[in-house]
Amino acid sequence: MPHTSAINPDTGRSGEPVIAIVVPCYNETQALPISVPELLARIDEMASLGIADSGSFLLLVDDGSTDGTWDMIKSMSAADPRVRGLALAHNRGHQYALLAGLMEARTMCDAAVSIDADLQDDPAAIVTMVQLFRSGKEIVYGVRSSRASDTAFKRNSAHAFYSFQKAMGLETVYDHADYRLMSARALDLLAEYGESNIFLRGIVPQIGLETAVVEYARNPRVAGISKYPLRKMLALSVDGITSFSAAPMRWIFYLGLAIFLLTFLVGIYVLVSHFFGHHTMPGWASLMISVWVLGSLILMSIGMVGEYVGKIFREVKHRPRYAVRERTWQ
Ligand code: UDP
Ligand code: MG
């Protein structure tokens, strides 16, 4: 599909696609002075290659930072019109900050690329993504070819995360985080997904349209520390699975079925013992084991059901997914 730009030639624009680079930022005062010039250089590069309009821009989303990130974004925006800032009312988490940025960008661009502020995802891949977009791809996933720079713990826990999700019936693109290009059309379709619990990596593959993959090497953070501790990674994993799959509930059902079948054998054993008088001391050990095993299974099941009930609770309220406090543009 040849790309048709939304830009009016009367405005003096090149007619090349306008690309928005959306960056969620949470306490990133250390990383932004390095990453913003780097990303702006990519826009210059694409404009000089003639593959993107020079009106392409950065959209920095401040996710309720507490360290002066917003002031920094505002002064960067004042210094360069290609830097736009969006402040959320409070810290909502990476996924929501990203969603807010993409939804704001979608009416202003032909395609949006989402990337983290720490430039762990090689920004050079943006150029390849845009080239694939120009050749008709609507969604381009950035996929890590190497994680050598991540700690072994981060690497292994991330791989466990993907495998676990897959086992639980959630389809995601392997080793793809949230570094991707989406066309304005794909973003419009994304906007139709009204769920409150959002896990973009699970939703985007469901949109359909033509996709492509770009490989890149994962680098260390340019500055600052990770805002994604294990606690948040686990929460994201549980959210991802329970938002997309009912497999855990089915597993509990099969487990219950297996135990139910075992109960027949246990029943026969008990009856035989009773009628043929093999009386042992009152079975403290077996009783304790049963209580613990059944007790834990029941608790697990309740917890699992509770997870879904909680989801329903949050969905039916239809609360806004994010609240915008301020924009640097009109
Ligand atoms: N982030 C955010 N809100 C949060 C946590 C993180 O917007 O509550 C942003 C953060 O500024 C960064 C991106 O999400 O741009 C990814 O976070 P980070 O690099 O800390 O995660 P990691 O790469 O360590 O998984
Ligand atoms: Mg990072």
Side-chain angles (χ1 to χ4, degrees), residues 9-10 17 64 76 78 93 112 121 232 245 266 297 299:
D10 297 342
M76 285 173 159
D121 305 312
K232 280 194 186 174
S245 137
V266 172
L297 286 180
L299 279 181

Side-chain angles (χ1 to χ4, degrees), residues 31-44:
L32 286 179
I34 306 168
S35 44
V36 166
E38 168 66 31
L39 292 171
L40 286 173
R42 294 297 157 184
I43 290 179
D44 288 338

Side-chain angles (χ1 to χ4, degrees), residues 116 118 120 218 221:
D116 290 348
D118 57 13
Q120 282 192 281
R218 177 115 163 136
R221 245 181 181 277

Side-chain angles (χ1 to χ4, degrees), residues 12-90:
R13 286 268 164 86
S14 64
E16 300 305 332
V18 171
I19 306 297
I21 301 178
V22 177
V23 189
C25 307
Y26 178 57
N27 294 345
E28 295 287 8
T29 46
Q30 293 182 51
L32 286 179
I34 306 168
S35 44
V36 166
E38 168 66 31
L39 292 171
L40 286 173
R42 294 297 157 184
I43 290 179
D44 288 338
E45 182 189 339
M46 292 191 291
S48 62
L49 285 173
I51 61 171
D53 190 272
S54 54
S56 298
F57 60 94
L58 293 188
L59 179 52
L60 307 178
V61 183
D62 174 32
D63 185 19
S65 299
T66 52
D67 73 338
T69 295
W70 180 239
D71 290 334
M72 182 178 272
I73 291 174
K74 276 197 293 194
S75 60
M76 285 173 159
S77 167
D80 190 324
R82 294 173 303 169
V83 179
R84 297 181 195 177
L86 175 74
L88 298 190
H90 59 110

Side-chain angles (χ1 to χ4, degrees), residues 58 99 103 109 113 133 140 149 164 205 210 224 247 272 274 318:
L58 293 188
L99 180 73
M103 291 300 104
C109 69
V113 176
F133 165 65
V140 185
S149 66
F164 182 59
E210 260 208 82
V272 167
H274 181 75
H318 283 294

Side-chain angles (χ1 to χ4, degrees), residues 28 116-121 144 150 154 218-222 225-228:
E28 295 287 8
D116 290 348
D118 57 13
L119 296 193
Q120 282 192 281
D121 305 312
R144 294 161 193 167
D150 272 351
K154 180 97 193 178
R218 177 115 163 136
N219 300 315
R221 245 181 181 277
V222 291
I225 54 157
S226 173
K227 277 83 190 172
Y228 248 104

